[in-house]
Amino acid sequence: MTHRLDPLLRPRSVAVVGASARADSLGEWSLKNLLKGGFERPIYPVNPRYEKLQGLRCFRSLADLPAVPDLVVFGVGDQRIEAVLSEAIDIGIGAAVIMSTLVLDNDTTPNLRARVLEKIRAAGLPVCGSNGMGFYNVRDRVWACGFDSRLHEPPGAISLISHSGAGMSGLIDCDERLRINLAVSTGDELSVTMDEYLDFALDLPETRVVGLFMETARNPRGLRAALEKAVARRIPIVALKVGRTAESARLAVSHSGALAGDDGTYDALFDRYGVQRVSDLDELATTLIMFAEMPLPAAGGLVTLHDSGGERQLLVDLADRARVPLARLSDDTVGALEKVLDPELPAINPLDAWSRGGPDARRQMTDSLVLMLADPAAAMGAAVLDRAPDGRIYGSYVEYLRNAHAATGKPVALVASRQGTGSDERVAESTRAGLPVLDGVSAFLTGVKAMFSYRDFLATEPAAADAGTPDCLPFWKQRLQGGAILSEQESLALLGDFGLATIASALVGDVDEALAAAERLGYPVALKTARSGAWHKTELGGVALGLHDDAALRSAYEDMSARLGHAALIAAMAEPGAEMLLGARRDAQFGPVVIIGIGGAHAELLEDVVFLLPPFTAEHARRRVDRLKLRGLLDGPRGQEPVNTEAFCQFAAAFSQVAYCLRDVVQEIDINPVVVGKTGCVAVDALIAGYRGS
C-alpha cells in the first residue's frame, strides 16, 4: 500500500546536505543516525569540503548526485537553507526534513520562513519541520534526525507524533520499555500536519497505539478523518494536549460561551473518537506502554496486591481520586483467600498479603494474586511493590505476574510506588513479554482508567446521530445572518420551531398587558425585563419569580419598569426540578460544540460542564451527564425524588440537532436553565447570537 508520505517517511534514497565530521553537529548526527538506524539503501552525504564521511563517498552538491534522492535532510544553517532548498526542488526531490528554525537576524520582508514556505507550496513538497527534530521510522529503518539517540530496534508497537521536539526525544530516548514503531517531531508543520502522520501510522501493521503530543490542530478536518480511521482500526489514541485557554470565551455573550474555552472543544473531540487524554509526560509514557504491551481488559475493575498496609491504603485513596473502579471480590474468592493468608490479614481488595514473611510468604503472594485476578469482577490486576535497591526488581515479583496471567489470561502489571528505572534488563524483558513493569501509582491508575475507558468506548453505540433538515431552517438561518442577537422570546421561538419544549410566555409593554398575560398563562408567573441588550437579566435585577397574584405582579412590574424600561416578558413557572444548562459555541477549528452542565444563576461559578460534538444521541448525552461532578442532583439528594434524567438527555440530543443545523450562522446558544422535573423538562430562558464572521 502506498501513501502520500512515502517519499518522506519511507524513502528509497536519502541525501544529507551539510553532512559533516564536526562532532555533535547537526550534519554529523543526521548522517550517523541513518547508519545507526540500519538504512540499507543509498545515502548521499553532500558537502564540498569532504571526500568521504563515515565511510561514504561525499558529493560536492545535489547536482552531482548519481540519482535524484527521494528525501533530503538539511543539516545547513538558516543562512544557506533557502538557496539549497531551491537547488533541491530544481532537481526534483521527493521530500525534505528541515530541523532549523528558519529565523535570520536582520531578515527582510517577507521573512525566510515565508519565502521557504512559498517554495515548498509551489513545489507540492512534503516537508517534516521546520523547527523540529525530524523523525524515526524504526520499522523501515529511516532515522532522519540530527540529534543523539539510543538504539531503537524494530519492530515497535508505539507510534508517537509530537509538536514538541523535546517531547518526542524525551519520551523515546529515556526508557527501553517504550518500543517505538514511528516517532515524528512535526515542528511548524510547513506542509505536513499531525493528522497526515497519524494516518500514515495507522497503516503500519505493527502499530498498536498512537501517542499525540498536541499544541493545536492545523488541519481540523483531516484530524477528524484520521481519528475516524483509528476507531475503525480499533487502534487507541492517547493524547497530551497542551495550551488550555479560554481566549475564545473572552468575548462571549452567553453563560455557556463563557464556560466553553478552546480546551473544551478538544474534550468533545477526544470523547467523540475515544481518544484517551493524559495530563503529563509520565502519564503519556505509562499509558502508551500499557496499551502497547497488555491485552485490552474485559468487563470489571482493578485488583491490586501489596506487601504494605500503608501503601494499600494509599492505593485506595488514589484510585478514588482517579475514578478507577476497584473490583469487589465474591464470597468464594474471599473464602479462598482466607485459607491462604495469615489470619490477621483481611481478605479484601486491595490486598496486603504480606504479614509474617517466612518461607510461605512468596507462595501466599502468588496464590493471592491468582485468586483475586480469577474473580469474575476483576478485569485486570497489579502487584504494587517497591523496587529493590538501586532501582532494580526482584525476580519473584515477575513470577507473581507470570503465574497470575498464565492462570487467568487477564492483563497484569508490576507497579512501583515511586519512579524506578527502565535500564534493569529484567524490567525491559518482563514488559516486552506482556507483563509491564511500571513506575508511579498515579500514572499507572491513569493508564488503567484509559484502558477501561477505551474498552467501554468500543462497546458503546456510535455517538453521532443523523441531523435532519427541518422546514423552519431557512427562516432562522436568514434571521441569524450578520451576527443578529435574538431576544429571549425569539430565542425560545426558534427552539420551539425545532421541536424543543419551551416555557409559555408573552411580551408586554405596560402593566395592563402584563396582568392580562398572567391571566391567560395562569399564576404563578415570572416577570423578566425585555430591555434591549440586557443579556444577563439576573445581574441587572431584571427577574422576578413566583409572582402569585395581580398585586405581586403589579408591584414587581412597576419597580422593574422604573429601572429597566416598560418592555417585559411574562412567563409561566416551570414545575419544580433541577436546573441544567445547555449551550453551544462555534469553535474556529471544529465548528459547533455543545455544552451540558449544572445550570442556574451560579453556572459560571460552578463550572461543572462537559463538552460534546453535535449531533449526538441521547445515550451519548447520558454518558457525558454521568461525568458531571454534581450528577447526584438529578438523582434526588437528601430524600428528594429524582428528576427525569432520560428526558433531559433526549432534550440534549434534540438540541444537538439545532446546533448542528445552524452551525454556519450561530456563534452562541445558551439555554439556562433547562428545568428538569419528574415528568419532563422545559427551556425556561434562552439567548441565541448569530455568527459575526471572522
Side-chain angles (χ1 to χ4, degrees), residues 641-659:
E641 288 191 57
V643 299
N644 194 334
T645 303
E646 186 57 37
F648 175 72
C649 293
Q650 294 284 352
F651 190 98
F655 172 73
S656 80
Q657 306 281 354
V658 178

Side-chain angles (χ1 to χ4, degrees), residues 10 21 23 89 103 145 231 239 245 274 294 355 364 427 433 455 480 485 519 559 569 597 660 662:
R10 257 194 301 243
I89 291 172
V103 175
C145 180
V231 173
T245 106
M294 304 173 80
S355 178
Q364 289 181 183
V427 169
R455 170 199 67 190
L480 288 161
I485 300 179
E519 183 69 25
D559 170 69
L569 196 71
Y660 186 77
L662 296 174

